[in-house]
Amino acid sequence: MTAEGDFEVTMTPLESDEGAGATLARLRLEKRYTGDLEATATGWMMSAVTATQGSAGYVALERVTGRLWGREGSFVLQHDGIMDSGAPHLIVQVVPDSGTGELTGLRGTLEIIIDAEGHHYRFEGELAE
């Protein structure tokens, strides 16, 4: 099953450590999803930004709470992202067995699309029946 829509994200810096090779940072995430996924999310992100333009890495966890495909509950998304001189590689997937309520058994991956109009998502997943 597929879900598509938009999201807004606020990232609040919590701490950083400038050092050899990269600046490490920890940020608080707050998101609002609209569209087929009507939800809010909170979480944490850790990043490493290098001196080379377009090269960085990040990991994040976010708890998403709301309604997906008409079902209420929550689930956790895990992000694993790399930018290699501007070339992105990102995997965002549901942490197995993190679904609650009517989203218990949720599995899937989320694609993030960023363009001039904002942030968008495409979620491909399934619910264990």
PDB file of all heavy atoms in Angstrom, residues 40-69:
ATOM      1  N   THR A  40       1.825  13.648  13.647  1.00  0.00           N
ATOM      2  CA  THR A  40       2.938  14.440  14.150  1.00  0.00           C
ATOM      3  C   THR A  40       4.048  13.473  14.519  1.00  0.00           C
ATOM      4  O   THR A  40       3.808  12.280  14.727  1.00  0.00           O
ATOM      5  CB  THR A  40       2.543  15.275  15.381  1.00  0.00           C
ATOM      6  OG1 THR A  40       2.078  14.395  16.403  1.00  0.00           O
ATOM      7  CG2 THR A  40       1.466  16.294  15.035  1.00  0.00           C
ATOM      8  N   ALA A  41       5.257  13.999  14.587  1.00  0.00           N
ATOM      9  CA  ALA A  41       6.397  13.159  14.941  1.00  0.00           C
ATOM     10  C   ALA A  41       7.398  13.972  15.747  1.00  0.00           C
ATOM     11  O   ALA A  41       7.546  15.178  15.530  1.00  0.00           O
ATOM     12  CB  ALA A  41       7.065  12.599  13.691  1.00  0.00           C
ATOM     13  N   THR A  42       8.058  13.289  16.657  1.00  0.00           N
ATOM     14  CA  THR A  42       9.161  13.881  17.403  1.00  0.00           C
ATOM     15  C   THR A  42      10.304  12.878  17.409  1.00  0.00           C
ATOM     16  O   THR A  42      10.083  11.670  17.324  1.00  0.00           O
ATOM     17  CB  THR A  42       8.782  14.222  18.856  1.00  0.00           C
ATOM     18  OG1 THR A  42       8.349  13.031  19.512  1.00  0.00           O
ATOM     19  CG2 THR A  42       7.685  15.273  18.909  1.00  0.00           C
ATOM     20  N   GLY A  43      11.511  13.409  17.487  1.00  0.00           N
ATOM     21  CA  GLY A  43      12.650  12.503  17.505  1.00  0.00           C
ATOM     22  C   GLY A  43      13.961  13.235  17.619  1.00  0.00           C
ATOM     23  O   GLY A  43      14.000  14.441  17.907  1.00  0.00           O
ATOM     24  N   TRP A  44      15.032  12.493  17.374  1.00  0.00           N
ATOM     25  CA  TRP A  44      16.384  13.007  17.481  1.00  0.00           C
ATOM     26  C   TRP A  44      17.179  12.623  16.258  1.00  0.00           C
ATOM     27  O   TRP A  44      16.995  11.550  15.690  1.00  0.00           O
ATOM     28  CB  TRP A  44      17.073  12.456  18.728  1.00  0.00           C
ATOM     29  CG  TRP A  44      16.445  12.979  19.974  1.00  0.00           C
ATOM     30  CD1 TRP A  44      16.775  14.110  20.655  1.00  0.00           C
ATOM     31  CD2 TRP A  44      15.344  12.409  20.674  1.00  0.00           C
ATOM     32  NE1 TRP A  44      15.948  14.272  21.741  1.00  0.00           N
ATOM     33  CE2 TRP A  44      15.061  13.242  21.791  1.00  0.00           C
ATOM     34  CE3 TRP A  44      14.560  11.278  20.487  1.00  0.00           C
ATOM     35  CZ2 TRP A  44      14.058  12.982  22.686  1.00  0.00           C
ATOM     36  CZ3 TRP A  44      13.538  11.009  21.386  1.00  0.00           C
ATOM     37  CH2 TRP A  44      13.306  11.865  22.473  1.00  0.00           C
ATOM     38  N   MET A  45      18.091  13.529  15.899  1.00  0.00           N
ATOM     39  CA  MET A  45      18.976  13.324  14.757  1.00  0.00           C
ATOM     40  C   MET A  45      20.409  13.600  15.199  1.00  0.00           C
ATOM     41  O   MET A  45      20.649  14.509  15.977  1.00  0.00           O
ATOM     42  CB  MET A  45      18.572  14.299  13.641  1.00  0.00           C
ATOM     43  CG  MET A  45      19.479  14.338  12.456  1.00  0.00           C
ATOM     44  SD  MET A  45      18.817  15.588  11.293  1.00  0.00           S
ATOM     45  CE  MET A  45      20.091  15.589  10.071  1.00  0.00           C
ATOM     46  N   MET A  46      21.329  12.792  14.696  1.00  0.00           N
ATOM     47  CA  MET A  46      22.753  13.050  14.878  1.00  0.00           C
ATOM     48  C   MET A  46      23.364  13.154  13.494  1.00  0.00           C
ATOM     49  O   MET A  46      23.056  12.346  12.617  1.00  0.00           O
ATOM     50  CB  MET A  46      23.409  11.940  15.694  1.00  0.00           C
ATOM     51  CG  MET A  46      22.907  11.904  17.117  1.00  0.00           C
ATOM     52  SD  MET A  46      23.791  10.811  18.269  1.00  0.00           S
ATOM     53  CE  MET A  46      24.329   9.473  17.298  1.00  0.00           C
ATOM     54  N   SER A  47      24.211  14.169  13.306  1.00  0.00           N
ATOM     55  CA  SER A  47      24.804  14.380  11.985  1.00  0.00           C
ATOM     56  C   SER A  47      26.307  14.580  12.085  1.00  0.00           C
ATOM     57  O   SER A  47      26.836  14.960  13.126  1.00  0.00           O
ATOM     58  CB  SER A  47      24.167  15.598  11.315  1.00  0.00           C
ATOM     59  OG  SER A  47      24.504  16.776  12.011  1.00  0.00           O
ATOM     60  N   ALA A  48      26.961  14.315  10.957  1.00  0.00           N
ATOM     61  CA  ALA A  48      28.388  14.597  10.787  1.00  0.00           C
ATOM     62  C   ALA A  48      28.520  15.346   9.468  1.00  0.00           C
ATOM     63  O   ALA A  48      28.192  14.814   8.409  1.00  0.00           O
ATOM     64  CB  ALA A  48      29.193  13.304  10.741  1.00  0.00           C
ATOM     65  N   VAL A  49      28.963  16.607   9.538  1.00  0.00           N
ATOM     66  CA  VAL A  49      29.106  17.446   8.349  1.00  0.00           C
ATOM     67  C   VAL A  49      30.595  17.691   8.127  1.00  0.00           C
ATOM     68  O   VAL A  49      31.275  18.208   9.013  1.00  0.00           O
ATOM     69  CB  VAL A  49      28.341  18.781   8.512  1.00  0.00           C
ATOM     70  CG1 VAL A  49      28.521  19.654   7.281  1.00  0.00           C
ATOM     71  CG2 VAL A  49      26.866  18.517   8.775  1.00  0.00           C
ATOM     72  N   THR A  50      31.072  17.314   6.943  1.00  0.00           N
ATOM     73  CA  THR A  50      32.496  17.463   6.646  1.00  0.00           C
ATOM     74  C   THR A  50      32.782  18.829   6.020  1.00  0.00           C
ATOM     75  O   THR A  50      31.865  19.575   5.689  1.00  0.00           O
ATOM     76  CB  THR A  50      32.966  16.365   5.667  1.00  0.00           C
ATOM     77  OG1 THR A  50      32.439  16.640   4.375  1.00  0.00           O
ATOM     78  CG2 THR A  50      32.546  14.984   6.133  1.00  0.00           C
ATOM     79  N   ALA A  51      34.060  19.120   5.832  1.00  0.00           N
ATOM     80  CA  ALA A  51      34.462  20.374   5.198  1.00  0.00           C
ATOM     81  C   ALA A  51      34.240  20.343   3.690  1.00  0.00           C
ATOM     82  O   ALA A  51      34.235  21.387   3.034  1.00  0.00           O
ATOM     83  CB  ALA A  51      35.940  20.653   5.498  1.00  0.00           C
ATOM     84  N   THR A  52      34.008  19.163   3.132  1.00  0.00           N
ATOM     85  CA  THR A  52      33.746  19.035   1.692  1.00  0.00           C
ATOM     86  C   THR A  52      32.279  19.352   1.424  1.00  0.00           C
ATOM     87  O   THR A  52      31.391  18.708   1.996  1.00  0.00           O
ATOM     88  CB  THR A  52      34.065  17.605   1.208  1.00  0.00           C
ATOM     89  OG1 THR A  52      35.434  17.329   1.477  1.00  0.00           O
ATOM     90  CG2 THR A  52      33.779  17.454  -0.279  1.00  0.00           C
ATOM     91  N   GLN A  53      32.026  20.346   0.585  1.00  0.00           N
ATOM     92  CA  GLN A  53      30.665  20.745   0.244  1.00  0.00           C
ATOM     93  C   GLN A  53      29.868  19.534  -0.243  1.00  0.00           C
ATOM     94  O   GLN A  53      30.303  18.823  -1.140  1.00  0.00           O
ATOM     95  CB  GLN A  53      30.694  21.827  -0.842  1.00  0.00           C
ATOM     96  CG  GLN A  53      29.336  22.311  -1.278  1.00  0.00           C
ATOM     97  CD  GLN A  53      28.622  23.124  -0.210  1.00  0.00           C
ATOM     98  OE1 GLN A  53      29.254  23.729   0.649  1.00  0.00           O
ATOM     99  NE2 GLN A  53      27.317  23.132  -0.262  1.00  0.00           N
ATOM    100  N   GLY A  54      28.714  19.272   0.383  1.00  0.00           N
ATOM    101  CA  GLY A  54      27.841  18.191  -0.055  1.00  0.00           C
ATOM    102  C   GLY A  54      28.162  16.827   0.498  1.00  0.00           C
ATOM    103  O   GLY A  54      27.576  15.834   0.056  1.00  0.00           O
ATOM    104  N   SER A  55      29.083  16.739   1.457  1.00  0.00           N
ATOM    105  CA  SER A  55      29.391  15.446   2.067  1.00  0.00           C
ATOM    106  C   SER A  55      29.045  15.477   3.547  1.00  0.00           C
ATOM    107  O   SER A  55      29.513  16.339   4.288  1.00  0.00           O
ATOM    108  CB  SER A  55      30.867  15.088   1.887  1.00  0.00           C
ATOM    109  OG  SER A  55      31.139  14.789   0.532  1.00  0.00           O
ATOM    110  N   ALA A  56      28.185  14.551   3.944  1.00  0.00           N
ATOM    111  CA  ALA A  56      27.706  14.500   5.321  1.00  0.00           C
ATOM    112  C   ALA A  56      27.032  13.153   5.566  1.00  0.00           C
ATOM    113  O   ALA A  56      26.774  12.388   4.632  1.00  0.00           O
ATOM    114  CB  ALA A  56      26.711  15.630   5.586  1.00  0.00           C
ATOM    115  N   GLY A  57      26.725  12.901   6.820  1.00  0.00           N
ATOM    116  CA  GLY A  57      25.970  11.706   7.179  1.00  0.00           C
ATOM    117  C   GLY A  57      25.044  12.027   8.326  1.00  0.00           C
ATOM    118  O   GLY A  57      25.283  12.961   9.092  1.00  0.00           O
ATOM    119  N   TYR A  58      23.945  11.268   8.412  1.00  0.00           N
ATOM    120  CA  TYR A  58      23.059  11.439   9.553  1.00  0.00           C
ATOM    121  C   TYR A  58      22.311  10.156   9.854  1.00  0.00           C
ATOM    122  O   TYR A  58      22.106   9.308   8.993  1.00  0.00           O
ATOM    123  CB  TYR A  58      22.096  12.614   9.346  1.00  0.00           C
ATOM    124  CG  TYR A  58      20.777  12.301   8.681  1.00  0.00           C
ATOM    125  CD1 TYR A  58      19.641  12.006   9.445  1.00  0.00           C
ATOM    126  CD2 TYR A  58      20.641  12.309   7.304  1.00  0.00           C
ATOM    127  CE1 TYR A  58      18.426  11.733   8.839  1.00  0.00           C
ATOM    128  CE2 TYR A  58      19.430  12.053   6.701  1.00  0.00           C
ATOM    129  CZ  TYR A  58      18.323  11.755   7.469  1.00  0.00           C
ATOM    130  OH  TYR A  58      17.121  11.479   6.880  1.00  0.00           O
ATOM    131  N   VAL A  59      21.952  10.029  11.110  1.00  0.00           N
ATOM    132  CA  VAL A  59      21.056   8.978  11.575  1.00  0.00           C
ATOM    133  C   VAL A  59      19.979   9.664  12.406  1.00  0.00           C
ATOM    134  O   VAL A  59      20.222  10.713  13.010  1.00  0.00           O
ATOM    135  CB  VAL A  59      21.769   7.885  12.405  1.00  0.00           C
ATOM    136  CG1 VAL A  59      22.749   7.108  11.541  1.00  0.00           C
ATOM    137  CG2 VAL A  59      22.467   8.484  13.608  1.00  0.00           C
ATOM    138  N   ALA A  60      18.785   9.104  12.400  1.00  0.00           N
ATOM    139  CA  ALA A  60      17.704   9.703  13.182  1.00  0.00           C
ATOM    140  C   ALA A  60      16.677   8.643  13.523  1.00  0.00           C
ATOM    141  O   ALA A  60      16.543   7.634  12.830  1.00  0.00           O
ATOM    142  CB  ALA A  60      17.037  10.835  12.403  1.00  0.00           C
ATOM    143  N   LEU A  61      15.960   8.900  14.619  1.00  0.00           N
ATOM    144  CA  LEU A  61      14.804   8.109  15.017  1.00  0.00           C
ATOM    145  C   LEU A  61      13.672   9.083  15.280  1.00  0.00           C
ATOM    146  O   LEU A  61      13.884  10.124  15.913  1.00  0.00           O
ATOM    147  CB  LEU A  61      15.085   7.306  16.284  1.00  0.00           C
ATOM    148  CG  LEU A  61      16.077   6.159  16.139  1.00  0.00           C
ATOM    149  CD1 LEU A  61      16.468   5.637  17.506  1.00  0.00           C
ATOM    150  CD2 LEU A  61      15.490   5.048  15.284  1.00  0.00           C
ATOM    151  N   GLU A  62      12.474   8.762  14.773  1.00  0.00           N
ATOM    152  CA  GLU A  62      11.319   9.606  15.040  1.00  0.00           C
ATOM    153  C   GLU A  62      10.099   8.734  15.337  1.00  0.00           C
ATOM    154  O   GLU A  62       9.884   7.723  14.679  1.00  0.00           O
ATOM    155  CB  GLU A  62      11.035  10.558  13.883  1.00  0.00           C
ATOM    156  CG  GLU A  62      10.646   9.892  12.587  1.00  0.00           C
ATOM    157  CD  GLU A  62      10.290  10.862  11.482  1.00  0.00           C
ATOM    158  OE1 GLU A  62       9.199  11.478  11.546  1.00  0.00           O
ATOM    159  OE2 GLU A  62      11.103  10.980  10.537  1.00  0.00           O
ATOM    160  N   ARG A  63       9.339   9.126  16.361  1.00  0.00           N
ATOM    161  CA  ARG A  63       8.078   8.458  16.687  1.00  0.00           C
ATOM    162  C   ARG A  63       6.956   9.213  15.993  1.00  0.00           C
ATOM    163  O   ARG A  63       6.759  10.397  16.242  1.00  0.00           O
ATOM    164  CB  ARG A  63       7.827   8.425  18.189  1.00  0.00           C
ATOM    165  CG  ARG A  63       6.479   7.758  18.534  1.00  0.00           C
ATOM    166  CD  ARG A  63       6.246   7.616  20.021  1.00  0.00           C
ATOM    167  NE  ARG A  63       7.143   6.593  20.569  1.00  0.00           N
ATOM    168  CZ  ARG A  63       8.177   6.838  21.367  1.00  0.00           C
ATOM    169  NH1 ARG A  63       8.462   8.066  21.737  1.00  0.00           N
ATOM    170  NH2 ARG A  63       8.926   5.853  21.814  1.00  0.00           N
ATOM    171  N   VAL A  64       6.238   8.522  15.125  1.00  0.00           N
ATOM    172  CA  VAL A  64       5.148   9.095  14.336  1.00  0.00           C
ATOM    173  C   VAL A  64       3.832   8.652  14.972  1.00  0.00           C
ATOM    174  O   VAL A  64       3.610   7.460  15.172  1.00  0.00           O
ATOM    175  CB  VAL A  64       5.226   8.612  12.869  1.00  0.00           C
ATOM    176  CG1 VAL A  64       4.098   9.206  12.049  1.00  0.00           C
ATOM    177  CG2 VAL A  64       6.596   8.928  12.265  1.00  0.00           C
ATOM    178  N   THR A  65       2.962   9.625  15.277  1.00  0.00           N
ATOM    179  CA  THR A  65       1.688   9.322  15.933  1.00  0.00           C
ATOM    180  C   THR A  65       0.562   9.975  15.157  1.00  0.00           C
ATOM    181  O   THR A  65       0.587  11.189  14.923  1.00  0.00           O
ATOM    182  CB  THR A  65       1.684   9.850  17.382  1.00  0.00           C
ATOM    183  OG1 THR A  65       2.795   9.286  18.084  1.00  0.00           O
ATOM    184  CG2 THR A  65       0.401   9.477  18.099  1.00  0.00           C
ATOM    185  N   GLY A  66      -0.408   9.177  14.745  1.00  0.00           N
ATOM    186  CA  GLY A  66      -1.533   9.727  14.001  1.00  0.00           C
ATOM    187  C   GLY A  66      -2.322   8.664  13.275  1.00  0.00           C
ATOM    188  O   GLY A  66      -2.546   7.570  13.786  1.00  0.00           O
ATOM    189  N   ARG A  67      -2.701   8.984  12.027  1.00  0.00           N
ATOM    190  CA  ARG A  67      -3.588   8.134  11.240  1.00  0.00           C
ATOM    191  C   ARG A  67      -2.956   7.853   9.874  1.00  0.00           C
ATOM    192  O   ARG A  67      -2.580   8.779   9.160  1.00  0.00           O
ATOM    193  CB  ARG A  67      -4.927   8.835  11.066  1.00  0.00           C
ATOM    194  CG  ARG A  67      -5.979   8.041  10.330  1.00  0.00           C
ATOM    195  CD  ARG A  67      -7.297   8.793  10.272  1.00  0.00           C
ATOM    196  NE  ARG A  67      -7.932   8.877  11.569  1.00  0.00           N
ATOM    197  CZ  ARG A  67      -8.729   7.934  12.085  1.00  0.00           C
ATOM    198  NH1 ARG A  67      -8.964   6.842  11.408  1.00  0.00           N
ATOM    199  NH2 ARG A  67      -9.270   8.095  13.271  1.00  0.00           N
ATOM    200  N   LEU A  68      -2.838   6.568   9.543  1.00  0.00           N
ATOM    201  CA  LEU A  68      -2.320   6.114   8.253  1.00  0.00           C
ATOM    202  C   LEU A  68      -3.317   5.126   7.674  1.00  0.00           C
ATOM    203  O   LEU A  68      -3.702   4.169   8.356  1.00  0.00           O
ATOM    204  CB  LEU A  68      -0.947   5.445   8.446  1.00  0.00           C
ATOM    205  CG  LEU A  68      -0.314   4.769   7.231  1.00  0.00           C
ATOM    206  CD1 LEU A  68       0.011   5.796   6.138  1.00  0.00           C
ATOM    207  CD2 LEU A  68       0.942   4.001   7.633  1.00  0.00           C
ATOM    208  N   TRP A  69      -3.742   5.362   6.434  1.00  0.00           N
ATOM    209  CA  TRP A  69      -4.724   4.497   5.766  1.00  0.00           C
ATOM    210  C   TRP A  69      -5.987   4.330   6.614  1.00  0.00           C
ATOM    211  O   TRP A  69      -6.592   3.267   6.675  1.00  0.00           O
ATOM    212  CB  TRP A  69      -4.143   3.130   5.430  1.00  0.00           C
ATOM    213  CG  TRP A  69      -2.929   3.177   4.556  1.00  0.00           C
ATOM    214  CD1 TRP A  69      -2.742   3.929   3.435  1.00  0.00           C
ATOM    215  CD2 TRP A  69      -1.724   2.440   4.737  1.00  0.00           C
ATOM    216  NE1 TRP A  69      -1.498   3.696   2.905  1.00  0.00           N
ATOM    217  CE2 TRP A  69      -0.851   2.787   3.686  1.00  0.00           C
ATOM    218  CE3 TRP A  69      -1.288   1.504   5.678  1.00  0.00           C
ATOM    219  CZ2 TRP A  69       0.404   2.249   3.544  1.00  0.00           C
ATOM    220  CZ3 TRP A  69      -0.032   0.964   5.545  1.00  0.00           C
ATOM    221  CH2 TRP A  69       0.807   1.335   4.484  1.00  0.00           C
TER     222      TRP A  69
END
